[in-house]
Protein backbone atom coordinates (compact mmCIF):
# COMPACT_ATOMS: atom_id res chain seq x y z
CA UNK A 1 0.00 0.00 0.00
CA UNK A 2 1.37 3.43 -0.92
CA UNK A 3 1.00 6.35 1.44
CA UNK A 4 -0.37 9.85 1.16
CA UNK A 5 1.30 11.96 3.85
CA UNK A 6 0.00 15.23 5.24
CA UNK A 7 2.28 16.81 7.85
CA UNK A 8 0.56 20.05 8.76
CA UNK A 9 1.42 22.92 11.07
CA UNK A 10 -1.76 24.55 12.37
CA UNK A 11 -2.70 27.25 14.82
CA UNK A 12 -4.52 25.59 17.73
CA UNK A 13 -8.24 26.23 17.87
CA UNK A 14 -8.59 26.08 21.63
CA UNK A 15 -12.11 25.62 22.91
CA UNK A 16 -13.65 25.41 19.44
CA UNK A 17 -16.51 22.97 18.97
CA UNK A 18 -16.19 20.82 15.87
CA UNK A 19 -18.92 18.93 14.01
CA UNK A 20 -17.77 15.78 12.19
CA UNK A 21 -17.67 16.42 8.45
CA UNK A 22 -20.18 14.74 6.16
CA UNK A 23 -17.31 12.97 4.44
CA UNK A 24 -16.57 11.00 7.59
CA UNK A 25 -20.14 10.48 8.70
CA UNK A 26 -21.96 9.71 5.48
CA UNK A 27 -19.74 7.26 3.69
CA UNK A 28 -18.71 4.63 6.21
CA UNK A 29 -21.29 2.24 4.81
CA UNK A 30 -24.21 2.32 2.43
CA UNK A 31 -27.81 2.64 3.51
CA UNK A 32 -28.48 -1.05 2.98
CA UNK A 33 -25.18 -2.36 4.32
CA UNK A 34 -24.45 -3.73 7.77
CA UNK A 35 -22.65 -1.19 9.94
CA UNK A 36 -18.88 -1.56 10.02
CA UNK A 37 -17.49 -2.57 13.40
CA UNK A 38 -14.51 -1.15 15.27
CA UNK A 39 -12.16 -1.84 18.19
CA UNK A 40 -9.90 0.69 19.92
CA UNK A 41 -6.80 -0.66 21.69
CA UNK A 42 -5.31 1.77 24.20
CA UNK A 43 -1.79 1.91 25.65
CA UNK A 44 -0.42 4.37 28.19
CA UNK A 45 -1.76 7.12 30.38
CA UNK A 46 -5.15 8.49 31.39
CA UNK A 47 -4.96 11.09 28.63
CA UNK A 48 -4.77 8.27 26.09
CA UNK A 49 -7.76 6.57 27.70
CA UNK A 50 -9.60 9.89 27.50
CA UNK A 51 -8.66 10.23 23.83
CA UNK A 52 -9.77 6.65 23.12
CA UNK A 53 -13.20 7.47 24.47
CA UNK A 54 -13.29 10.33 21.97
CA UNK A 55 -12.12 8.08 19.13
CA UNK A 56 -14.92 5.63 19.94
CA UNK A 57 -17.44 8.46 20.02
CA UNK A 58 -16.23 9.80 16.67
CA UNK A 59 -16.48 6.39 15.03
CA UNK A 60 -19.96 5.79 16.39
CA UNK A 61 -21.09 9.23 15.21
CA UNK A 62 -19.76 8.21 11.79
CA UNK A 63 -21.91 5.06 11.76
CA UNK A 64 -19.54 2.40 13.12
CA UNK A 65 -20.55 0.09 15.96
CA UNK A 66 -18.31 -1.49 18.57
CA UNK A 67 -17.31 -5.04 17.69
CA UNK A 68 -18.67 -7.74 19.95
CA UNK A 69 -16.11 -9.41 22.20
CA UNK A 70 -14.37 -12.18 20.28
CA UNK A 71 -15.41 -10.88 16.86
CA UNK A 72 -12.91 -9.61 14.30
CA UNK A 73 -13.62 -5.91 13.74
CA UNK A 74 -13.65 -4.10 10.40
CA UNK A 75 -11.47 -1.33 11.87
CA UNK A 76 -8.78 -1.67 14.54
CA UNK A 77 -7.40 1.55 16.05
CA UNK A 78 -4.21 1.56 18.11
CA UNK A 79 -3.92 4.56 20.46
CA UNK A 80 -0.25 4.37 21.36
CA UNK A 81 2.18 5.45 24.09
CA UNK A 82 5.78 6.56 23.52
CA UNK A 83 6.93 6.75 27.14
CA UNK A 84 8.23 3.23 27.67
CA UNK A 85 11.28 1.81 25.93
CA UNK A 86 9.40 -1.17 24.51
CA UNK A 87 6.51 0.88 23.11
CA UNK A 88 7.79 0.57 19.53
CA UNK A 89 8.31 -3.19 19.72
CA UNK A 90 4.92 -3.65 21.29
CA UNK A 91 3.14 -1.76 18.52
CA UNK A 92 4.96 -3.37 15.62
CA UNK A 93 4.53 -6.80 17.19
CA UNK A 94 0.78 -6.26 17.42
CA UNK A 95 0.65 -4.93 13.88
CA UNK A 96 2.51 -8.02 12.70
CA UNK A 97 -0.04 -10.29 14.37
CA UNK A 98 -2.86 -8.43 12.61
CA UNK A 99 -1.34 -8.63 9.12
CA UNK A 100 -2.61 -12.14 8.23
CA UNK A 101 -6.00 -11.31 9.75
CA UNK A 102 -6.28 -8.26 7.52
CA UNK A 103 -5.12 -10.14 4.44
CA UNK A 104 -7.90 -12.68 5.03
CA UNK A 105 -10.63 -10.10 5.70
CA UNK A 106 -11.59 -7.94 2.74
CA UNK A 107 -12.07 -4.29 3.63
CA UNK A 108 -10.48 -4.45 7.07
CA UNK A 109 -8.59 -1.27 8.06
CA UNK A 110 -5.91 -0.55 10.66
CA UNK A 111 -5.25 2.92 12.13
CA UNK A 112 -2.43 4.03 14.44
CA UNK A 113 -2.67 7.18 16.56
CA UNK A 114 -1.33 8.61 19.80
CA UNK A 115 2.13 9.64 20.96
CA UNK A 116 4.09 6.99 19.06
CA UNK A 117 2.31 7.94 15.85
CA UNK A 118 3.15 11.60 16.50
CA UNK A 119 6.80 10.58 16.92
CA UNK A 120 7.26 8.02 14.13
CA UNK A 121 4.80 9.50 11.60
CA UNK A 122 5.32 7.95 8.15
CA UNK A 123 7.87 5.48 9.51
CA UNK A 124 4.93 3.39 10.72
CA UNK A 125 3.68 2.82 7.18
CA UNK A 126 7.21 2.10 5.99
CA UNK A 127 7.66 -0.60 8.63
CA UNK A 128 4.08 -1.89 8.40
CA UNK A 129 2.74 -1.07 4.92
CA UNK A 130 -0.57 -2.80 5.67
CA UNK A 131 -1.51 0.08 8.01
CA UNK A 132 -4.20 2.30 6.45
CA UNK A 133 -4.17 5.44 8.63
CA UNK A 134 -1.62 7.22 10.85
CA UNK A 135 -2.77 10.26 12.85
CA UNK A 136 -1.19 12.20 15.70
CA UNK A 137 -2.09 13.58 19.10
CA UNK A 138 -3.31 16.92 17.73
CA UNK A 139 -5.90 15.75 15.19
CA UNK A 140 -7.79 12.79 16.63
CA UNK A 141 -11.00 14.27 15.21
CA UNK A 142 -9.76 13.46 11.70
CA UNK A 143 -9.93 9.67 12.12
CA UNK A 144 -13.27 8.93 10.36
CA UNK A 145 -12.32 11.12 7.38
CA UNK A 146 -8.87 9.56 7.08
CA UNK A 147 -10.35 6.04 7.15
CA UNK A 148 -12.72 6.96 4.34
CA UNK A 149 -9.97 8.59 2.28
CA UNK A 150 -7.82 5.48 2.66
CA UNK A 151 -10.71 3.26 1.61
CA UNK A 152 -11.53 5.29 -1.51
CA UNK A 153 -7.93 5.98 -2.58
CA UNK A 154 -6.73 2.49 -1.62
CA UNK A 155 -3.59 4.02 -0.13
CA UNK A 156 -2.44 4.82 3.36
CA UNK A 157 -3.23 8.23 4.81
CA UNK A 158 -0.65 9.78 7.15
CA UNK A 159 -1.72 13.08 8.73
CA UNK A 160 0.30 14.61 11.56
CA UNK A 161 -0.31 18.14 12.84
CA UNK A 162 2.15 20.10 14.93
CA UNK A 163 -0.29 21.94 17.19
CA UNK A 164 -3.69 21.23 18.69
CA UNK A 165 -6.50 21.32 16.14
CA UNK A 166 -9.51 20.88 18.43
CA UNK A 167 -9.55 20.39 22.20
CA UNK A 168 -10.36 16.66 22.60
CA UNK A 169 -13.12 17.26 25.14
CA UNK A 170 -15.22 19.06 22.52
CA UNK A 171 -15.43 15.86 20.43
CA UNK A 172 -18.08 13.14 20.74
CA UNK A 173 -17.33 10.42 23.26
CA UNK A 174 -18.37 6.92 24.26
CA UNK A 175 -17.83 6.66 28.01
CA UNK A 176 -17.12 3.30 29.58
CA UNK A 177 -18.58 4.25 32.95
CA UNK A 178 -22.08 5.43 33.81
CA UNK A 179 -21.04 6.72 37.24
CA UNK A 180 -17.49 8.18 36.98
CA UNK A 181 -15.82 10.32 34.35
CA UNK A 182 -12.55 11.99 33.39
CA UNK A 183 -12.74 15.70 32.53
CA UNK A 184 -9.66 17.03 30.73
CA UNK A 185 -8.90 20.59 31.83
CA UNK A 186 -5.63 20.97 29.89
CA UNK A 187 -3.42 19.16 27.42
CA UNK A 188 0.31 19.43 26.85
CA UNK A 189 3.20 20.23 29.17
CA UNK A 190 5.60 23.17 29.59
CA UNK A 191 8.22 21.21 31.55
CA UNK A 192 11.43 19.71 30.16
CA UNK A 193 12.06 16.63 32.30
CA UNK A 194 15.06 14.85 30.83
CA UNK A 195 13.44 11.39 30.93
CA UNK A 196 10.16 12.39 29.27
CA UNK A 197 9.25 12.65 25.60
CA UNK A 198 5.66 13.74 26.19
CA UNK A 199 6.10 17.55 25.80
CA UNK A 200 7.54 17.12 22.30
CA UNK A 201 4.56 14.95 21.33
CA UNK A 202 1.70 16.63 23.17
CA UNK A 203 2.97 20.19 22.78
CA UNK A 204 2.83 23.19 25.11
CA UNK A 205 0.10 23.38 27.72
CA UNK A 206 -3.32 24.42 26.44
CA UNK A 207 -5.99 25.25 29.02
CA UNK A 208 -9.75 25.06 28.63
CA UNK A 209 -11.83 27.94 29.87
CA UNK A 210 -13.35 27.35 33.33
CA UNK A 211 -16.90 27.82 32.02
CA UNK A 212 -16.42 25.09 29.39
CA UNK A 213 -15.10 22.67 32.01
CA UNK A 214 -17.95 23.34 34.43
CA UNK A 215 -20.53 22.98 31.66
CA UNK A 216 -19.11 19.55 30.87
CA UNK A 217 -19.18 18.61 34.57
CA UNK A 218 -22.84 19.67 34.88
CA UNK A 219 -23.75 17.70 31.75
CA UNK A 220 -22.08 14.62 33.16
CA UNK A 221 -23.92 14.98 36.47
CA UNK A 222 -27.21 15.36 34.58
CA UNK A 223 -26.40 12.00 32.93
CA UNK A 224 -25.97 10.32 36.32
CA UNK A 225 -22.24 10.72 36.99
CA UNK A 226 -21.33 11.00 40.68
CA UNK A 227 -17.53 11.23 40.44
CA UNK A 228 -15.28 13.22 38.15
CA UNK A 229 -11.49 13.28 37.87
CA UNK A 230 -9.93 16.47 36.53
CA UNK A 231 -7.18 15.51 34.14
CA UNK A 232 -4.05 17.24 32.87
CA UNK A 233 -0.41 16.45 32.21
CA UNK A 234 0.34 18.86 35.09
CA UNK A 235 -3.16 19.45 36.35
CA UNK A 236 -2.27 22.07 38.97
CA UNK A 237 -0.55 24.40 36.47
CA UNK A 238 -4.01 24.95 35.01
CA UNK A 239 -4.48 28.66 34.31
CA UNK A 240 -0.95 29.36 33.08
CA UNK A 241 -2.22 30.02 29.57
CA UNK A 242 -4.68 32.71 30.67
CA UNK A 243 -2.51 34.14 33.45
CA UNK A 244 -4.23 32.97 36.65
CA UNK A 245 -1.94 30.94 38.88
CA UNK A 246 -4.78 30.38 41.37
CA UNK A 247 -7.15 29.02 38.73
CA UNK A 248 -6.90 25.37 39.75
CA UNK A 249 -7.92 25.98 43.36
CA UNK A 250 -10.80 28.12 42.13
CA UNK A 251 -11.88 25.34 39.78
CA UNK A 252 -11.93 22.81 42.63
CA UNK A 253 -14.12 25.13 44.69
CA UNK A 254 -16.43 25.70 41.71
CA UNK A 255 -16.86 21.94 41.34
CA UNK A 256 -18.04 21.98 44.94
CA UNK A 257 -21.02 24.08 43.86
CA UNK A 258 -22.26 21.54 41.28
CA UNK A 259 -25.37 19.96 42.77
CA UNK A 260 -25.37 16.18 42.62
CA UNK A 261 -21.59 15.85 42.17
CA UNK A 262 -20.42 13.73 45.11
CA UNK A 263 -16.72 13.12 44.42
CA UNK A 264 -14.02 15.22 42.76
CA UNK A 265 -10.47 13.96 42.17
CA UNK A 266 -7.56 15.21 40.05
CA UNK A 267 -4.38 13.84 38.50
CA UNK A 268 -1.50 14.46 38.31
CA UNK A 269 -0.16 17.60 40.03
CA UNK A 270 3.45 18.73 39.78
CA UNK A 271 5.16 19.35 43.16
CA UNK A 272 6.89 22.52 41.91
CA UNK A 273 3.52 24.15 41.24
CA UNK A 274 1.64 22.79 44.25
CA UNK A 275 0.35 25.76 46.24
CA UNK A 276 -1.33 26.21 49.61
CA UNK A 277 -4.54 27.54 48.03
CA UNK A 278 -5.04 24.09 46.45
CA UNK A 279 -4.58 22.42 49.84
CA UNK A 280 -7.17 24.81 51.29
CA UNK A 281 -9.58 24.10 48.44
CA UNK A 282 -9.20 20.35 49.00
CA UNK A 283 -9.79 20.67 52.73
CA UNK A 284 -12.68 23.13 52.52
CA UNK A 285 -14.67 21.77 49.55
CA UNK A 286 -16.80 18.84 50.80
CA UNK A 287 -16.90 16.89 47.54
CA UNK A 288 -13.15 17.15 46.81
CA UNK A 289 -11.69 13.87 48.02
CA UNK A 290 -8.84 13.75 50.53
CA UNK A 291 -6.66 11.83 48.10
CA UNK A 292 -3.54 13.06 46.33
CA UNK A 293 -1.41 11.39 43.68
CA UNK A 294 1.80 13.46 43.43
CA UNK A 295 4.86 12.13 41.53
CA UNK A 296 8.11 12.10 43.52
CA UNK A 297 10.36 10.39 40.90
CA UNK A 298 13.41 10.45 43.20
CA UNK A 299 14.25 11.39 46.78
CA UNK A 300 17.75 12.50 45.79
CA UNK A 301 18.17 16.21 45.12
CA UNK A 302 21.10 15.45 42.84
CA UNK A 303 19.00 13.10 40.73
CA UNK A 304 16.03 15.48 40.72
CA UNK A 305 18.34 18.17 39.33
CA UNK A 306 19.57 15.80 36.62
CA UNK A 307 15.95 14.99 35.81
CA UNK A 308 15.17 18.73 35.57
CA UNK A 309 12.47 18.33 38.18
CA UNK A 310 12.12 21.86 39.55
CA UNK A 311 11.66 20.91 43.22
CA UNK A 312 13.76 19.17 45.85
CA UNK A 313 12.93 16.56 48.49
CA UNK A 314 12.49 19.15 51.24
CA UNK A 315 9.79 20.92 49.26
CA UNK A 316 8.07 17.64 48.46
CA UNK A 317 7.99 16.55 52.09
CA UNK A 318 6.79 20.02 53.07
CA UNK A 319 3.77 19.69 50.78
CA UNK A 320 2.89 16.32 52.30
CA UNK A 321 3.22 17.76 55.81
CA UNK A 322 0.86 20.64 54.99
CA UNK A 323 -1.63 18.34 53.24
CA UNK A 324 -1.80 16.06 56.28
CA UNK A 325 -2.05 19.03 58.67
CA UNK A 326 -5.13 20.20 56.77
CA UNK A 327 -6.51 16.68 56.08
CA UNK A 328 -5.21 14.08 58.55
CA UNK A 329 -7.10 11.32 56.71
CA UNK A 330 -5.52 12.10 53.31
CA UNK A 331 -4.24 9.12 51.31
CA UNK A 332 -1.18 10.07 49.25
CA UNK A 333 0.27 8.05 46.37
CA UNK A 334 3.20 8.68 44.05
CA UNK A 335 5.42 7.63 41.12
CA UNK A 336 9.09 6.74 41.54
CA UNK A 337 11.77 5.96 38.93
CA UNK A 338 14.59 3.62 39.97
CA UNK A 339 17.95 3.60 38.21
CA UNK A 340 18.00 7.01 36.50
CA UNK A 341 21.40 7.57 34.83
CA UNK A 342 24.05 8.32 37.44
CA UNK A 343 21.93 7.20 40.40
CA UNK A 344 24.25 5.95 43.15
CA UNK A 345 23.45 3.77 46.16
CA UNK A 346 23.53 6.96 48.27
CA UNK A 347 20.96 8.57 45.94
CA UNK A 348 18.77 5.49 46.20
CA UNK A 349 19.00 5.48 49.98
CA UNK A 350 17.74 9.07 49.96
CA UNK A 351 14.74 7.92 47.93
CA UNK A 352 14.02 5.17 50.45
CA UNK A 353 14.20 7.73 53.26
CA UNK A 354 11.68 10.04 51.57
CA UNK A 355 9.38 7.04 51.05
CA UNK A 356 9.66 6.18 54.76
CA UNK A 357 8.80 9.74 55.76
CA UNK A 358 6.00 10.13 53.23
CA UNK A 359 4.05 7.00 54.25
CA UNK A 360 2.47 6.61 50.82
CA UNK A 361 -0.75 4.63 50.61
CA UNK A 362 0.67 3.16 47.41
CA UNK A 363 3.30 3.91 44.81
CA UNK A 364 3.79 3.24 41.12
CA UNK A 365 7.43 2.23 40.83
CA UNK A 366 9.30 2.04 37.53
CA UNK A 367 12.68 0.86 36.38
CA UNK A 368 14.27 3.58 34.28
CA UNK A 369 14.41 2.68 30.60
CA UNK A 370 16.06 4.60 27.79
CA UNK A 371 13.57 6.59 25.74
CA UNK A 372 15.13 7.65 22.40
CA UNK A 373 14.72 11.37 21.80
CA UNK A 374 15.07 12.36 25.47
CA UNK A 375 18.19 14.00 26.98
CA UNK A 376 18.51 11.19 29.53
CA UNK A 377 18.92 8.61 26.77
CA UNK A 378 22.43 9.86 26.00
CA UNK A 379 23.56 10.59 29.53
CA UNK A 380 26.69 8.94 30.88
CA UNK A 381 26.58 6.47 33.76
CA UNK A 382 23.59 4.41 32.68
CA UNK A 383 22.96 2.11 35.66
CA UNK A 384 23.43 -1.63 34.99
CA UNK A 385 20.20 -3.58 34.67
CA UNK A 386 21.04 -5.95 37.53
CA UNK A 387 21.63 -2.99 39.87
CA UNK A 388 18.35 -1.36 38.84
CA UNK A 389 16.46 -4.61 39.41
CA UNK A 390 17.91 -5.13 42.89
CA UNK A 391 17.10 -1.55 43.94
CA UNK A 392 13.63 -1.83 42.46
CA UNK A 393 12.92 -4.94 44.52
CA UNK A 394 14.07 -3.21 47.73
CA UNK A 395 11.84 -0.22 47.00
CA UNK A 396 8.80 -2.38 46.26
CA UNK A 397 9.37 -4.36 49.47
CA UNK A 398 9.56 -1.17 51.55
CA UNK A 399 6.46 0.34 49.99
CA UNK A 400 4.57 -2.95 50.37
CA UNK A 401 5.33 -2.90 54.09
CA UNK A 402 4.18 0.73 54.43
CA UNK A 403 1.02 0.17 52.36
CA UNK A 404 0.06 -2.77 54.56
CA UNK A 405 0.69 -0.82 57.76
CA UNK A 406 -1.40 2.11 56.49
CA UNK A 407 -4.20 -0.20 55.36
CA UNK A 408 -4.31 -2.02 58.72
CA UNK A 409 -5.18 1.34 60.29
CA UNK A 410 -8.44 1.22 58.29
CA UNK A 411 -9.68 -1.98 60.00
CA UNK A 412 -12.77 -1.21 62.08
CA UNK A 413 -13.45 2.06 60.30
CA UNK A 414 -16.71 2.86 58.53
CA UNK A 415 -16.30 3.80 54.87
CA UNK A 416 -18.63 4.76 52.05
CA UNK A 417 -17.72 2.81 48.93
CA UNK A 418 -18.76 3.69 45.38
CA UNK A 419 -19.52 0.30 43.83
CA UNK A 420 -17.57 -0.11 40.59
CA UNK A 421 -17.66 -2.41 37.61
CA UNK A 422 -14.56 -4.47 36.84
CA UNK A 423 -12.49 -3.44 39.88
CA UNK A 424 -12.51 -6.90 41.50
CA UNK A 425 -11.20 -9.63 39.20
CA UNK A 426 -12.34 -12.36 41.60
CA UNK A 427 -15.72 -10.87 42.52
CA UNK A 428 -17.71 -13.64 40.84
CA UNK A 429 -15.74 -16.36 42.63
CA UNK A 430 -15.79 -14.63 46.02
CA UNK A 431 -19.37 -13.34 45.64
CA UNK A 432 -18.26 -9.84 46.54
CA UNK A 433 -18.70 -6.34 45.18
CA UNK A 434 -15.74 -4.01 44.72
CA UNK A 435 -15.33 -0.27 44.63
CA UNK A 436 -13.42 2.74 45.86
CA UNK A 437 -13.55 4.47 49.22
CA UNK A 438 -13.43 8.26 49.37
CA UNK A 439 -9.62 8.13 49.65
CA UNK A 440 -9.48 5.89 46.52
CA UNK A 441 -8.53 2.71 48.39
CA UNK A 442 -9.85 -0.43 46.73
CA UNK A 443 -12.45 -2.17 48.91
CA UNK A 444 -13.92 -5.64 48.37
CA UNK A 445 -17.39 -5.70 49.93
CA UNK A 446 -19.63 -8.56 51.03
CA UNK A 447 -22.50 -9.32 48.65
CA UNK A 448 -25.26 -6.72 48.81
CA UNK A 449 -28.19 -5.54 46.72
CA UNK A 450 -26.19 -2.77 45.06
CA UNK A 451 -25.42 -1.84 41.47
CA UNK A 452 -22.31 -0.21 40.00
CA UNK A 453 -22.76 3.46 40.84
CA UNK A 454 -24.57 2.85 44.13
CA UNK A 455 -23.02 3.76 47.48
CA UNK A 456 -22.44 1.12 50.16
CA UNK A 457 -21.58 1.98 53.76
CA UNK A 458 -19.36 -0.73 55.24
CA UNK A 459 -17.11 -1.61 58.14
CA UNK A 460 -13.58 -2.69 57.20
CA UNK A 461 -12.81 -6.16 58.56
CA UNK A 462 -9.47 -7.03 56.92
CA UNK A 463 -6.53 -5.27 55.28
CA UNK A 464 -4.02 -6.42 52.67
CA UNK A 465 -1.25 -4.26 51.20
CA UNK A 466 -3.28 -3.26 48.15
CA UNK A 467 -6.91 -3.65 49.16
CA UNK A 468 -9.36 -3.72 52.03
CA UNK A 469 -12.12 -6.23 52.77
CA UNK A 470 -15.43 -5.21 54.31
CA UNK A 471 -17.59 -8.15 55.37
CA UNK A 472 -20.00 -5.92 57.30
CA UNK A 473 -22.41 -4.01 55.05
CA UNK A 474 -24.20 -1.37 57.10
CA UNK A 475 -26.39 0.21 54.42
CA UNK A 476 -26.90 0.59 50.68
CA UNK A 477 -27.80 3.90 49.05
CA UNK A 478 -29.26 3.59 45.58
CA UNK A 479 -28.19 6.49 43.37
CA UNK A 480 -28.90 8.19 40.06
CA UNK A 481 -25.59 6.73 38.89
CA UNK A 482 -26.82 3.23 39.65
CA UNK A 483 -30.02 4.02 37.73
CA UNK A 484 -27.90 5.21 34.80
CA UNK A 485 -25.85 2.00 34.89
CA UNK A 486 -29.04 -0.09 34.93
CA UNK A 487 -30.47 1.85 31.98
CA UNK A 488 -27.25 1.37 30.04
CA UNK A 489 -27.39 -2.39 30.63
CA UNK A 490 -30.86 -2.49 29.12
CA UNK A 491 -29.90 -0.35 26.12
CA UNK A 492 -26.12 -0.02 25.53
CA UNK A 493 -25.07 3.56 24.94
CA UNK A 494 -23.97 4.57 21.44
CA UNK A 495 -22.03 7.78 20.90
CA UNK A 496 -22.86 11.33 21.95
CA UNK A 497 -21.67 10.81 25.51
CA UNK A 498 -19.38 13.12 27.40
CA UNK A 499 -15.97 12.36 28.92
CA UNK A 500 -14.78 9.16 30.59
CA UNK A 501 -14.41 6.46 33.22
CA UNK A 502 -12.82 5.68 36.53
CA UNK A 503 -9.09 5.41 37.21
CA UNK A 504 -7.62 2.23 38.63
CA UNK A 505 -4.83 2.20 41.20
CA UNK A 506 -3.49 -1.13 42.36
CA UNK A 507 -0.39 -3.12 43.14
CA UNK A 508 2.60 -2.11 41.02
CA UNK A 509 3.62 -4.99 38.76
CA UNK A 510 7.25 -6.17 38.89
CA UNK A 511 7.87 -4.74 35.41
CA UNK A 512 4.95 -2.43 34.62
CA UNK A 513 4.30 -1.92 30.94
CA UNK A 514 3.00 1.62 31.16
CA UNK A 515 2.94 4.48 33.65
CA UNK A 516 -0.36 5.69 35.11
CA UNK A 517 0.00 9.14 33.57
CA UNK A 518 2.28 11.05 31.22
CA UNK A 519 2.98 13.57 33.97
CA UNK A 520 4.32 10.76 36.10
CA UNK A 521 7.19 10.25 33.72
Amino acid sequence: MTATTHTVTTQGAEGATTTQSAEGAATTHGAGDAARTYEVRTYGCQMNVHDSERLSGLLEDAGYVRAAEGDTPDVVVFNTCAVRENADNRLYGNLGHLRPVKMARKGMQIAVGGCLAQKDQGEIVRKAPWVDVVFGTHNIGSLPVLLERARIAEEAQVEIKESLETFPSTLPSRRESAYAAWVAISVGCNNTCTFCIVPSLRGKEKDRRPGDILNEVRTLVDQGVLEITLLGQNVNTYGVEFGDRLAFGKLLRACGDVEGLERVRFTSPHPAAFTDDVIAAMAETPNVMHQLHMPLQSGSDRVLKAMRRSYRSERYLGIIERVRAAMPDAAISTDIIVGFPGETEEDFQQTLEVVRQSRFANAFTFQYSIRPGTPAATMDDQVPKAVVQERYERLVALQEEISWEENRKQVGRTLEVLVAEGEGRKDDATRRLSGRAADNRLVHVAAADARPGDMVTVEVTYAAPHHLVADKVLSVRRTRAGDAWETRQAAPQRGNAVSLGMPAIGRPAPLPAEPPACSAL
Side-chain angles (χ1 to χ4, degrees):
M1 180 180 286
T2 59
T4 298
T5 302
H6 310 274
T7 302
V8 186
T9 301
T10 62
Q11 191 67 32
E14 177 214 343
T17 301
T18 301
T19 302
Q20 175 61 47
S21 71
E23 178 186 2
T27 56
T28 54
H29 53 84
D33 297 336
R36 284 170 61 77
T37 59
Y38 76 91
E39 175 187 337
V40 178
R41 301 183 186 181
T42 308
Y43 306 100
C45 67
Q46 292 101 323
M47 192 64 77
N48 270 19
V49 178
H50 175 274
D51 287 352
S52 287
E53 299 266 345
R54 305 295 162 176
L55 293 170
S56 295
L58 285 160
L59 290 171
E60 294 193 5
D61 264 21
Y64 296 82
V65 296
R66 178 175 290 190
E69 188 172 351
D71 287 356
T72 301
D74 296 305
V75 173
V76 178
V77 182
F78 291 92
N79 192 9
T80 62
C81 171
V83 171
R84 302 293 292 175
E85 182 180 20
N86 65 355
D88 307 61
N89 293 337
R90 189 175 186 186
L91 171 65
Y92 292 114
N94 286 328
L95 290 176
H97 289 311
L98 269 184
R99 182 181 185 182
V101 179
K102 182 182 178 183
M103 296 303 105
R105 184 179 178 90
K106 182 176 174 58
M108 183 178 180
Q109 291 182 296
I110 300 172
V112 179
C115 287
L116 192 60
Q118 187 78 22
K119 180 176 77 75
D120 285 2
Q121 304 189 11
E123 183 71 5
I124 292 173
V125 173
R126 190 188 69 79
K127 290 182 176 180
W130 55 95
V131 169
D132 298 274
V133 169
V134 177
F135 62 101
T137 57
H138 299 307
N139 64 320
I140 66 174
S142 301
L143 176 60
V145 172
L146 294 172
L147 286 168
E148 189 61 18
R149 284 181 190 162
R151 187 187 67 82
I152 292 172
E154 296 185 347
E155 65 178 11
Q157 302 292 307
V158 179
E159 183 173 281
I160 305 294
K161 299 193 177 182
E162 298 305 322
S163 61
L164 190 64
E165 188 174 58
T166 301
F167 204 97
S169 292
T170 65
L171 299 170
S173 177
R174 187 190 196 279
R175 283 192 296 113
E176 295 298 326
S177 171
Y179 45 85
W182 298 109
V183 176
I185 68 172
S186 64
V187 295
C189 178
N190 294 342
N191 293 314
T192 57
C193 300
T194 55
F195 52 78
C196 186
I197 198 169
V198 169
S200 66
L201 303 177
R202 289 278 182 180
K204 293 290 187 181
E205 180 173 326
K206 293 284 186 182
D207 295 330
R208 293 175 73 189
R209 303 304 299 185
D212 293 339
I213 296 168
L214 292 170
N215 284 340
E216 181 179 356
V217 171
R218 294 187 190 100
T219 299
L220 287 163
V221 172
D222 289 344
Q223 293 174 353
V225 167
L226 293 183
E227 174 177 303
I228 60 119
T229 301
L230 302 176
L231 179 64
Q233 247 79 45
N234 294 294
V235 69
N236 60 323
T237 59
Y238 172 73
V240 66
E241 195 181 27
F242 51 85
D244 185 356
R245 69 181 188 86
L246 302 179
F248 184 61
K250 295 174 184 175
L251 182 62
L252 290 177
R253 292 181 185 277
C255 287
D257 294 331
V258 177
E259 187 175 353
L261 180 61
E262 297 194 22
R263 292 183 172 186
V264 178
R265 306 186 191 276
F266 56 90
T267 193
S268 290
H270 195 292
F274 207 94
T275 50
D276 288 348
D277 66 293
V278 172
I279 298 174
M282 292 176 67
E284 296 167 10
T285 309
N287 65 354
V288 176
M289 298 296 94
H290 294 178
Q291 175 244 330
L292 175 65
H293 181 84
M294 186 168 64
L296 169 64
Q297 307 306 4
S298 174
S300 162
D301 289 350
R302 194 185 67 82
V303 172
L304 288 171
K305 183 177 180 181
M307 289 177 166
R308 287 193 204 145
R309 299 287 289 179
S310 47
Y311 58 90
R312 299 296 179 259
S313 59
E314 183 178 0
R315 173 174 174 77
Y316 188 94
L317 289 169
I319 294 169
I320 288 180
E321 183 180 357
R322 294 195 298 279
V323 167
R324 289 197 168 124
M327 296 165 282
D329 60 340
I332 301 172
S333 56
T334 196
D335 306 313
I336 301 171
I337 298 172
V338 178
F340 187 80
E343 181 189 74
T344 64
E345 177 61 25
E346 182 181 358
D347 294 322
F348 180 66
Q349 286 296 331
Q350 290 169 5
T351 295
L352 294 179
E353 182 56 30
V354 173
V355 169
R356 290 187 189 99
Q357 292 185 46
S358 299
R359 307 291 301 176
F360 296 118
N362 54 57
F364 294 93
T365 52
F366 303 93
Q367 297 187 31
Y368 171 78
S369 59
I370 292 174
R371 184 67 256 163
T374 63
T378 57
M379 286 182 176
D380 296 331
D381 299 325
Q382 299 285 330
V383 182
K385 172 67 176 174
V387 175
V388 177
Q389 180 68 34
E390 189 273 336
R391 289 176 184 168
Y392 175 85
E393 291 171 0
R394 276 191 281 158
L395 174 60
V396 168
L398 173 62
Q399 182 55 50
E400 185 116 342
E401 178 185 329
I402 293 171
S403 294
W404 201 358
E405 289 173 359
E406 292 301 308
N407 276 359
R408 283 199 292 265
K409 295 176 183 177
Q410 303 297 314
V411 174
R413 292 184 178 175
T414 299
L415 305 177
E416 189 171 53
V417 176
L418 173 59
V419 178
E421 190 172 29
E423 287 276 21
R425 289 174 292 178
K426 299 180 181 179
D427 282 354
D428 289 341
T430 59
R431 301 190 176 218
R432 295 184 187 277
L433 304 172
S434 293
R436 296 280 169 174
D439 64 7
N440 212 38
R441 282 184 166 91
L442 176 63
V443 186
H444 300 305
V445 178
D449 183 19
R451 308 158 298 179
D454 288 338
M455 291 285 194
V456 182
T457 301
V458 301
E459 182 181 320
V460 178
T461 54
Y462 173 79
H466 304 285
H467 68 267
L468 304 173
V469 174
D471 285 326
K472 294 183 181 180
V473 176
L474 305 179
S475 65
V476 174
R477 177 162 62 89
R478 293 173 73 85
T479 67
R480 294 179 302 103
D483 294 342
W485 178 87
E486 197 166 52
T487 299
R488 178 181 284 196
Q489 299 310 108
Q493 185 172 317
R494 298 291 184 191
N496 296 324
V498 183
S499 215
L500 155 49
M502 192 171 185
I505 293 182
R507 176 176 182 165
L511 286 173
E514 305 293 352
C518 293
S519 62
L521 295 183

